[in-house]
Amino acid sequence: MSLQQSMDMILPIIEKTDDPSLRSMFDLLQERIDYPESFVTLLGETSSGKSSLINGLLGEQVLHVASKPTTGTIVELYEYDVENEITQYALLKNARLRRLTKEQFHDQSIQPSEDVSRLRLNIPKMPRDLQGMRLFDTPGYGSIHREHEEVLKEFIPNSDVIIYVVNYRVGIGENDAEFLQYIGKFLQDDIRFLLVINRAPEGTDATNVRVKEIIRYANDLLHADLDCFIVNSIPGDGVKLPDANDLWEAVRKEVQSDKRKQLIEAVLRNYQIQLLQETEYYWQQRMALSKASDEEIQAVQNAIGELQDKKHLANNLINETFNRLKKFIPKYFADARLKMDESIASEINNANKWTSAEECTGYIEVHVMPRYEKLVRKHIMYSIERELTLLNEQLEELINEAIVNFETRIDIICNHFEPIVVGIGRKIAHRATDGALKTFLARYGGRGGAGAGVANLAKKGLKYAGKMVGKTFSRETHNAVASFLKKIGATSTRNLSIAVSVFIEGVFYVIEANRWQRRLVEDVKKGTKKWEEDTVITVLKDLEELRDINHQNMNENFDDYLNMLNSEHVHVASEVDLSTVENMIHDIQQLYQYIEQEKVIV
């Protein structure tokens, strides 16, 4: 039975259910099945030639290229045969599309408006038989704004194919090395990574010393033996479109391979099963409410009320921890700055070490200040992580105990509600494994309105964790904490660099002995003060975002249970014909078991 045949069997069930949310999920899943593309992402440093590669693929200069950075946001290309020519759109943050002129598209690609999520090019027919591919051109890592950096990093783990472009003459610079190390954390067997050495002199091949150096460095950074493609620069005046036949042929073979298609089919069948399980949950709610007595429903409502109290306790616990951190973080950095000032001053005043003020100044700005910043930052991050880890453990204990007690009580009250509890556990499990149907469709489902992200279908929803227990409650929170701590490190390092350039770098101390040291100590204090002030502001802002994430993740797990007595279903329960509902549930279970048997294991 094909995916579409399964959808044809699911549709009558969804129509009988008459639930707008389920119908919306069905429609978005149908779109995804109609267009089961693989996602190909172009990454690389600013001006490495990513946009030129796309122009070469399309056979015309659609994307603007110049010596300075030209891509300020993500540009998406996909095949859309409704229109007869390449058309330009802006995908807005509210998931709507806005048609653009060529001039508007050019302007938005350099400096996107606040309401623009990314840009889109509708291609009537993908060149080189690249059907089944959606392609994303991304901003250069070294040039993107902070908000674009976060968007870009979301694309890496959710891509099927990554094409990383390196300029032959520039090689792998500091930004490339940092970015490739970051990518290495997310690379899995289901992501194909292709290295492109772009704008190489004509005739350059794999025996070239420079090419060997770039490949060796990239292999070391990613701990892999990478597939590499060399794209030669084109001599002469005017706009020249690069030829990358070997590259695009490799991409075509990958996205159209049987293995990739099987992975996509397996995951889409998994989402069909989830849709049916969501539908079953809908009918189980109705049946439970129809069979339960008024006294049993009231007892369940009382248990829900007590669970609501536990939710308030969890929220209060989060607020207490974050309020304490908000109070102490400025003190952490203030104490750290004083220790830095004292230690750095001691180094400066060790007169026997220095032959000149210039030598001392250079040593302090390049070695001493970064070293002490790293030491104090490590201590600060340890203190913050300790607080957040304790919070995490307390929340796990509170939530698990509350949920276990609630489920036990519901089981005692009335066994009619057991299927609802099982359905809720299933929902939470899918969410924990990054396979939640609603989340997937909201972000990746549609081609016209929804679909604000990319999705490696080989990853989504293939795992099933069973019922949620233990630490799985805090998976997303743990990831958010790790990201928060990493941002502290990046913020602190960046702010120190800025402070050094403002107060110390380039200063020439033409002062007699013993006086320049006093002057340098004072300038260091000004620099560390600026570092402290700027870093605290950013960290406190990020802390508030992390607080919101904690609330959201914790509330999601409670709310699934708190909403189990759907008020709309309570009112219509008396109108339900039980035999009809039982038959509907039986048909749903039979269908998703049949679809489960059809899944291909890759």
Side-chain angles (χ1 to χ4, degrees), residues 231-249:
V231 179
N232 293 326
S233 58
I234 302 174
D237 299 328
V239 176
K240 304 292 183 179
L241 300 177
D243 185 4
N245 284 330
D246 291 345
L247 169 66
W248 296 119
E249 178 61 16

Side-chain angles (χ1 to χ4, degrees), residues 578-593:
L578 286 179
S579 62
T580 301
V581 175
E582 288 172 348
N583 290 335
M584 180 68 71
I585 292 172
H586 176 267
D587 292 345
I588 291 170
Q589 292 174 342
Q590 288 288 104
L591 182 53
Y592 73 63
Q593 287 172 8

Side-chain angles (χ1 to χ4, degrees), residues 54-63 75-89 99-103 105 119-127 241:
I54 292 180
N55 288 335
L57 171 65
L58 297 176
E60 58 180 294
Q61 191 171 5
V62 178
L63 301 182
V75 179
E76 171 189 6
L77 294 83
Y78 74 95
E79 187 171 281
Y80 191 67
D81 56 9
V82 174
E83 294 160 324
N84 296 322
E85 60 181 0
I86 296 176
T87 50
Q88 299 84 14
Y89 291 89
R99 180 75 179 264
L100 302 176
T101 65
K102 290 182 179 180
E103 292 75 18
F105 184 86
L119 300 179
R120 174 175 286 180
L121 287 171
N122 291 353
I123 312 297
K125 182 180 179 181
M126 272 298 179
L241 300 177

Side-chain angles (χ1 to χ4, degrees), residues 29 67 96 134 147 251 355 372 377 413 484 497 513 588:
L29 183 56
S67 57
R96 295 180 181 274
R134 199 183 296 196
E147 59 268 26
V251 172
T355 58
Y372 284 113
R377 171 174 33 101
I413 292 170
F484 169 69
S497 176
I588 291 170

Side-chain angles (χ1 to χ4, degrees), residues 9 81 93 101 103 154 201 230 280 326 358 387-388 420 449 530 539 542 583 597:
M9 296 178 71
D81 56 9
K93 292 179 179 177
T101 65
E103 292 75 18
E154 285 187 8
I230 300 170
E280 179 194 1
K326 186 177 180 180
E358 299 96 306
E387 287 276 352
L388 295 174
I420 302 179
K530 178 173 176 56
V539 170
D542 292 338
N583 290 335
Q597 295 173 0

Side-chain angles (χ1 to χ4, degrees), residues 135-240:
L135 181 64
F136 298 88
D137 182 29
T138 63
Y141 179 63
S143 69
I144 53 181
H145 302 298
R146 181 178 176 183
E147 59 268 26
H148 289 150
E149 181 175 355
E150 294 304 311
V151 171
L152 177 55
K153 288 180 177 180
E154 285 187 8
F155 274 65
I156 298 168
N158 290 316
S159 297
D160 296 284
V161 179
I162 289 176
I163 301 173
Y164 197 91
V165 185
V166 176
N167 188 307
Y168 171 86
R169 299 191 183 282
V170 176
I172 296 179
E174 184 178 342
N175 283 332
D176 281 306
E178 179 184 350
F179 201 16
L180 284 167
Q181 286 179 318
Y182 178 86
I183 292 171
K185 298 176 183 178
F186 295 96
L187 279 185
Q188 298 182 25
D189 292 341
D190 56 15
I191 298 180
R192 180 81 182 276
F193 188 97
L194 307 176
L195 176 67
V196 174
I197 300 176
N198 198 22
R199 295 173 175 164
E202 193 173 8
T204 302
D205 58 23
T207 63
N208 180 274
V209 174
R210 180 71 161 161
V211 168
K212 288 182 177 179
E213 173 192 312
I214 292 172
I215 294 174
R216 183 171 58 250
Y217 194 10
N219 285 344
D220 289 343
L221 290 168
L222 291 174
H223 308 292
D225 189 10
L226 302 176
D227 295 317
C228 180
F229 300 85
I230 300 170
V231 179
N232 293 326
S233 58
I234 302 174
D237 299 328
V239 176
K240 304 292 183 179

Side-chain angles (χ1 to χ4, degrees), residues 241-309:
L241 300 177
D243 185 4
N245 284 330
D246 291 345
L247 169 66
W248 296 119
E249 178 61 16
V251 172
R252 186 193 66 78
K253 287 182 177 179
E254 177 62 31
V255 301
Q256 295 177 10
S257 68
D258 290 338
K259 181 178 180 180
R260 182 67 58 183
K261 291 177 181 178
Q262 288 171 356
L263 285 167
I264 291 175
E265 179 179 337
V267 178
L268 290 173
R269 287 197 185 278
N270 189 83
Y271 282 119
Q272 288 179 333
I273 292 169
Q274 281 195 50
L275 178 58
L276 287 168
Q277 289 172 342
E278 291 270 357
T279 309
E280 179 194 1
Y281 177 77
Y282 171 94
W283 288 107
Q284 292 283 13
Q285 273 189 308
R286 287 193 163 198
M287 186 163 70
L289 291 167
S290 297
K291 288 185 174 181
S293 66
D294 292 342
E295 291 76 13
E296 288 170 333
I297 292 176
Q298 183 59 54
V300 172
Q301 288 175 333
N302 292 339
I304 288 175
E306 293 178 13
L307 190 63
Q308 181 73 51
D309 293 337

